[in-house]
Short mmCIF file of all heavy atoms in Angstrom, two decimals:
data_model
loop_
_atom_site.label_atom_id
_atom_site.label_comp_id
_atom_site.label_asym_id
_atom_site.label_seq_id
_atom_site.Cartn_x
_atom_site.Cartn_y
_atom_site.Cartn_z
N GLU A 1 6.13 -19.17 25.61
CA GLU A 1 7.06 -18.12 25.24
C GLU A 1 6.49 -17.37 23.99
O GLU A 1 5.81 -17.96 23.15
CB GLU A 1 8.43 -18.70 24.81
CG GLU A 1 9.15 -19.35 25.95
CD GLU A 1 9.56 -18.43 27.09
OE1 GLU A 1 9.82 -17.19 26.69
OE2 GLU A 1 9.57 -18.81 28.20
N ARG A 2 6.71 -16.05 23.97
CA ARG A 2 6.11 -15.21 22.95
C ARG A 2 6.55 -15.48 21.58
O ARG A 2 5.83 -15.22 20.55
CB ARG A 2 6.19 -13.65 23.24
CG ARG A 2 7.65 -13.27 23.20
CD ARG A 2 7.73 -11.68 23.47
NE ARG A 2 7.01 -11.37 24.80
CZ ARG A 2 7.16 -10.14 25.26
NH1 ARG A 2 7.90 -9.20 24.70
NH2 ARG A 2 6.50 -9.85 26.42
N GLY A 3 7.80 -15.95 21.33
CA GLY A 3 8.28 -16.25 19.97
C GLY A 3 8.93 -15.06 19.35
O GLY A 3 8.97 -13.96 19.97
N PRO A 4 9.43 -15.18 18.09
CA PRO A 4 10.07 -14.10 17.43
C PRO A 4 9.16 -12.96 17.18
O PRO A 4 7.90 -13.20 16.89
CB PRO A 4 10.67 -14.80 16.24
CG PRO A 4 9.70 -15.94 15.96
CD PRO A 4 9.38 -16.46 17.37
N ALA A 5 9.61 -11.77 16.96
CA ALA A 5 8.81 -10.60 16.69
C ALA A 5 8.58 -10.54 15.16
O ALA A 5 9.35 -10.94 14.34
CB ALA A 5 9.64 -9.29 17.13
N PHE A 6 7.39 -9.94 14.93
CA PHE A 6 7.01 -9.69 13.44
C PHE A 6 7.87 -8.55 12.97
O PHE A 6 8.04 -7.53 13.61
CB PHE A 6 5.51 -9.36 13.39
CG PHE A 6 5.00 -8.95 12.10
CD1 PHE A 6 4.77 -9.84 11.07
CD2 PHE A 6 4.78 -7.59 11.83
CE1 PHE A 6 4.30 -9.40 9.87
CE2 PHE A 6 4.28 -7.18 10.62
CZ PHE A 6 4.07 -8.10 9.57
N THR A 7 8.25 -8.72 11.70
CA THR A 7 8.91 -7.59 11.02
C THR A 7 8.17 -7.00 9.88
O THR A 7 7.78 -7.69 8.96
CB THR A 7 10.29 -8.06 10.35
OG1 THR A 7 11.09 -8.67 11.40
CG2 THR A 7 11.06 -6.91 9.79
N PRO A 8 7.66 -5.73 10.13
CA PRO A 8 6.85 -5.10 9.04
C PRO A 8 7.58 -4.73 7.83
O PRO A 8 8.85 -4.53 7.86
CB PRO A 8 6.35 -3.79 9.72
CG PRO A 8 7.35 -3.53 10.72
CD PRO A 8 7.89 -4.86 11.27
N GLN A 9 7.00 -4.85 6.71
CA GLN A 9 7.56 -4.49 5.42
C GLN A 9 6.76 -3.37 4.80
O GLN A 9 5.77 -3.67 3.99
CB GLN A 9 7.66 -5.71 4.46
CG GLN A 9 8.61 -6.76 5.04
CD GLN A 9 8.68 -7.99 4.10
OE1 GLN A 9 7.72 -8.84 4.01
NE2 GLN A 9 9.72 -8.17 3.33
N TYR A 10 7.04 -2.17 5.08
CA TYR A 10 6.21 -0.92 4.63
C TYR A 10 6.68 -0.57 3.18
O TYR A 10 7.83 -0.73 2.85
CB TYR A 10 6.41 0.21 5.52
CG TYR A 10 5.87 -0.01 6.97
CD1 TYR A 10 6.70 0.18 8.05
CD2 TYR A 10 4.57 -0.53 7.14
CE1 TYR A 10 6.21 0.09 9.35
CE2 TYR A 10 4.09 -0.70 8.43
CZ TYR A 10 4.89 -0.41 9.51
OH TYR A 10 4.47 -0.64 10.75
N PRO A 11 5.78 -0.04 2.41
CA PRO A 11 6.16 0.40 1.06
C PRO A 11 6.83 1.72 1.00
O PRO A 11 6.65 2.56 2.02
CB PRO A 11 4.81 0.44 0.30
CG PRO A 11 3.92 0.89 1.42
CD PRO A 11 4.34 0.14 2.69
N PRO A 12 7.68 2.00 0.10
CA PRO A 12 8.46 3.34 -0.01
C PRO A 12 7.32 4.40 -0.38
O PRO A 12 6.32 4.12 -0.90
CB PRO A 12 9.40 3.12 -1.12
CG PRO A 12 8.82 2.07 -1.93
CD PRO A 12 8.10 1.13 -1.05
N VAL A 13 7.75 5.70 -0.17
CA VAL A 13 6.81 6.75 -0.40
C VAL A 13 7.12 7.39 -1.83
O VAL A 13 6.51 8.42 -2.14
CB VAL A 13 6.97 7.85 0.64
CG1 VAL A 13 6.52 7.32 1.98
CG2 VAL A 13 8.39 8.42 0.69
N ARG A 14 7.95 6.77 -2.62
CA ARG A 14 8.26 7.30 -3.97
C ARG A 14 8.53 6.09 -4.82
O ARG A 14 8.98 5.04 -4.45
CB ARG A 14 9.56 8.10 -3.79
CG ARG A 14 10.13 8.65 -5.16
CD ARG A 14 11.45 9.39 -4.94
NE ARG A 14 11.24 10.57 -4.08
CZ ARG A 14 10.84 11.71 -4.63
NH1 ARG A 14 10.63 11.85 -5.87
NH2 ARG A 14 10.67 12.76 -3.78
N ALA A 15 8.16 6.37 -6.09
CA ALA A 15 8.30 5.36 -7.22
C ALA A 15 9.05 6.08 -8.28
O ALA A 15 9.14 7.24 -8.38
CB ALA A 15 7.03 4.70 -7.60
N ALA A 16 9.44 5.29 -9.28
CA ALA A 16 10.12 5.86 -10.44
C ALA A 16 9.06 6.50 -11.39
O ALA A 16 8.41 5.82 -12.18
CB ALA A 16 10.89 4.74 -11.20
N GLY A 17 8.93 7.83 -11.24
CA GLY A 17 7.85 8.47 -12.09
C GLY A 17 8.44 9.03 -13.37
O GLY A 17 9.55 8.69 -13.75
N ARG A 18 7.65 9.93 -13.96
CA ARG A 18 8.01 10.52 -15.25
C ARG A 18 8.25 12.02 -15.09
O ARG A 18 8.02 12.83 -16.01
CB ARG A 18 6.93 10.26 -16.26
CG ARG A 18 6.55 8.80 -16.43
CD ARG A 18 5.45 8.61 -17.43
NE ARG A 18 4.24 9.26 -17.14
CZ ARG A 18 3.34 8.64 -16.29
NH1 ARG A 18 3.53 7.52 -15.70
NH2 ARG A 18 2.19 9.36 -16.03
N GLY A 19 8.61 12.50 -13.86
CA GLY A 19 8.70 13.87 -13.64
C GLY A 19 7.32 14.48 -13.51
O GLY A 19 6.39 13.78 -13.21
N ARG A 20 7.14 15.79 -13.91
CA ARG A 20 5.87 16.41 -13.85
C ARG A 20 4.98 15.80 -14.97
O ARG A 20 5.22 15.91 -16.17
CB ARG A 20 5.97 17.84 -13.95
CG ARG A 20 4.56 18.58 -13.78
CD ARG A 20 4.76 20.05 -13.53
NE ARG A 20 3.49 20.78 -13.43
CZ ARG A 20 2.77 20.82 -12.28
NH1 ARG A 20 3.15 20.22 -11.22
NH2 ARG A 20 1.63 21.42 -12.24
N ALA A 21 3.92 15.16 -14.57
CA ALA A 21 3.03 14.37 -15.49
C ALA A 21 1.69 14.10 -14.84
O ALA A 21 1.50 14.34 -13.67
CB ALA A 21 3.79 13.10 -15.93
N TRP A 22 0.87 13.52 -15.63
CA TRP A 22 -0.44 13.05 -15.10
C TRP A 22 -0.30 11.63 -14.63
O TRP A 22 0.12 10.75 -15.39
CB TRP A 22 -1.52 13.21 -16.23
CG TRP A 22 -1.82 14.57 -16.59
CD1 TRP A 22 -1.30 15.33 -17.69
CD2 TRP A 22 -2.74 15.46 -16.03
NE1 TRP A 22 -1.80 16.52 -17.70
CE2 TRP A 22 -2.74 16.71 -16.71
CE3 TRP A 22 -3.59 15.38 -14.87
CZ2 TRP A 22 -3.53 17.82 -16.38
CZ3 TRP A 22 -4.35 16.44 -14.50
CH2 TRP A 22 -4.36 17.63 -15.23
N TYR A 23 -0.69 11.34 -13.39
CA TYR A 23 -0.63 10.01 -12.80
C TYR A 23 -1.93 9.57 -12.37
O TYR A 23 -2.85 10.38 -11.78
CB TYR A 23 0.30 10.04 -11.56
CG TYR A 23 1.69 10.39 -11.90
CD1 TYR A 23 2.26 11.63 -11.80
CD2 TYR A 23 2.57 9.41 -12.45
CE1 TYR A 23 3.51 12.02 -12.05
CE2 TYR A 23 3.88 9.70 -12.76
CZ TYR A 23 4.37 11.04 -12.56
OH TYR A 23 5.69 11.26 -12.89
N ARG A 24 -2.28 8.35 -12.65
CA ARG A 24 -3.60 7.74 -12.30
C ARG A 24 -3.64 6.90 -11.06
O ARG A 24 -2.69 6.15 -10.88
CB ARG A 24 -4.06 6.91 -13.54
CG ARG A 24 -4.23 7.65 -14.85
CD ARG A 24 -4.55 6.78 -16.02
NE ARG A 24 -4.78 7.63 -17.25
CZ ARG A 24 -5.95 8.02 -17.66
NH1 ARG A 24 -7.04 7.63 -16.96
NH2 ARG A 24 -6.03 8.82 -18.73
N GLY A 25 -4.66 7.14 -10.25
CA GLY A 25 -4.65 6.40 -9.01
C GLY A 25 -6.03 6.11 -8.47
O GLY A 25 -7.01 6.79 -8.88
N ASP A 26 -6.16 5.14 -7.55
CA ASP A 26 -7.37 4.74 -6.89
C ASP A 26 -7.06 4.72 -5.47
O ASP A 26 -6.23 3.95 -4.96
CB ASP A 26 -7.83 3.39 -7.41
CG ASP A 26 -9.24 3.05 -6.97
OD1 ASP A 26 -9.77 3.61 -5.99
OD2 ASP A 26 -9.85 2.09 -7.46
N CYS A 27 -7.69 5.63 -4.59
CA CYS A 27 -7.33 5.86 -3.28
C CYS A 27 -8.30 5.25 -2.27
O CYS A 27 -8.26 5.60 -1.13
CB CYS A 27 -7.12 7.23 -2.97
SG CYS A 27 -5.64 7.96 -3.87
N HIS A 28 -9.32 4.43 -2.71
CA HIS A 28 -10.34 3.90 -1.84
C HIS A 28 -10.49 2.42 -2.22
O HIS A 28 -11.25 2.10 -3.12
CB HIS A 28 -11.53 4.69 -1.93
CG HIS A 28 -12.63 4.36 -0.98
ND1 HIS A 28 -13.76 5.06 -0.78
CD2 HIS A 28 -12.75 3.32 -0.07
CE1 HIS A 28 -14.53 4.60 0.20
NE2 HIS A 28 -13.92 3.49 0.61
N LEU A 29 -9.79 1.57 -1.48
CA LEU A 29 -9.70 0.14 -1.80
C LEU A 29 -9.69 -0.70 -0.53
O LEU A 29 -9.19 -0.30 0.54
CB LEU A 29 -8.51 -0.23 -2.61
CG LEU A 29 -8.37 0.50 -3.95
CD1 LEU A 29 -6.90 0.62 -4.48
CD2 LEU A 29 -9.23 -0.22 -4.97
N HIS A 30 -10.34 -1.90 -0.59
CA HIS A 30 -10.44 -2.72 0.50
C HIS A 30 -9.82 -4.20 0.31
O HIS A 30 -9.95 -4.61 -0.86
CB HIS A 30 -11.87 -2.85 1.03
CG HIS A 30 -12.37 -1.55 1.45
ND1 HIS A 30 -12.14 -0.98 2.74
CD2 HIS A 30 -13.15 -0.57 0.78
CE1 HIS A 30 -12.72 0.21 2.79
NE2 HIS A 30 -13.31 0.46 1.64
N THR A 31 -9.41 -4.74 1.27
CA THR A 31 -8.85 -6.10 1.20
C THR A 31 -9.33 -7.06 2.39
O THR A 31 -10.19 -6.58 3.13
CB THR A 31 -7.34 -6.11 1.26
OG1 THR A 31 -6.81 -5.74 2.64
CG2 THR A 31 -6.69 -5.09 0.37
N VAL A 32 -8.75 -8.22 2.51
CA VAL A 32 -9.15 -9.08 3.61
C VAL A 32 -8.85 -8.45 5.00
O VAL A 32 -9.13 -9.04 5.99
CB VAL A 32 -8.45 -10.44 3.48
CG1 VAL A 32 -9.05 -11.13 2.25
CG2 VAL A 32 -6.92 -10.36 3.41
N HIS A 33 -8.01 -7.39 4.97
CA HIS A 33 -7.68 -6.72 6.20
C HIS A 33 -8.88 -5.94 6.83
O HIS A 33 -8.85 -5.48 7.95
CB HIS A 33 -6.49 -5.75 6.09
CG HIS A 33 -5.23 -6.63 5.98
ND1 HIS A 33 -4.40 -6.87 7.04
CD2 HIS A 33 -4.62 -7.18 4.93
CE1 HIS A 33 -3.36 -7.67 6.66
NE2 HIS A 33 -3.46 -7.80 5.35
N SER A 34 -9.99 -5.78 6.08
CA SER A 34 -11.20 -5.36 6.61
C SER A 34 -12.38 -6.18 6.05
O SER A 34 -12.38 -7.41 6.21
CB SER A 34 -11.47 -3.81 6.42
OG SER A 34 -11.39 -3.45 5.09
N ASP A 35 -13.31 -5.56 5.24
CA ASP A 35 -14.45 -6.33 4.77
C ASP A 35 -14.26 -6.70 3.35
O ASP A 35 -15.18 -7.04 2.69
CB ASP A 35 -15.73 -5.59 5.01
CG ASP A 35 -15.74 -4.25 4.35
OD1 ASP A 35 -14.72 -3.73 3.91
OD2 ASP A 35 -16.89 -3.70 4.19
N GLY A 36 -13.07 -6.56 2.77
CA GLY A 36 -12.85 -6.97 1.37
C GLY A 36 -12.53 -8.44 1.30
O GLY A 36 -12.34 -9.09 2.26
N LYS A 37 -12.69 -8.98 0.07
CA LYS A 37 -12.41 -10.37 -0.19
C LYS A 37 -11.12 -10.62 -0.93
O LYS A 37 -10.80 -11.83 -1.26
CB LYS A 37 -13.58 -10.98 -0.92
CG LYS A 37 -14.92 -10.96 -0.17
CD LYS A 37 -14.87 -11.74 1.07
CE LYS A 37 -16.29 -11.80 1.80
NZ LYS A 37 -16.16 -12.52 3.08
N ARG A 38 -10.35 -9.63 -1.22
CA ARG A 38 -9.16 -9.78 -2.03
C ARG A 38 -7.95 -9.61 -1.10
O ARG A 38 -7.97 -8.83 -0.15
CB ARG A 38 -9.09 -8.73 -3.12
CG ARG A 38 -10.07 -8.93 -4.22
CD ARG A 38 -10.22 -7.73 -5.12
NE ARG A 38 -11.13 -7.95 -6.27
CZ ARG A 38 -11.79 -6.97 -6.91
NH1 ARG A 38 -11.68 -5.77 -6.58
NH2 ARG A 38 -12.47 -7.34 -8.01
#
């Protein structure tokens, strides 16, 4: 039997910001889901 279905937990597209401001980010990161080790 296939068993229970997986339930994804996606992140929201908004966080509690400071209105119009300078925000710092890193958009190129890897984890164990590809060739990263973290």
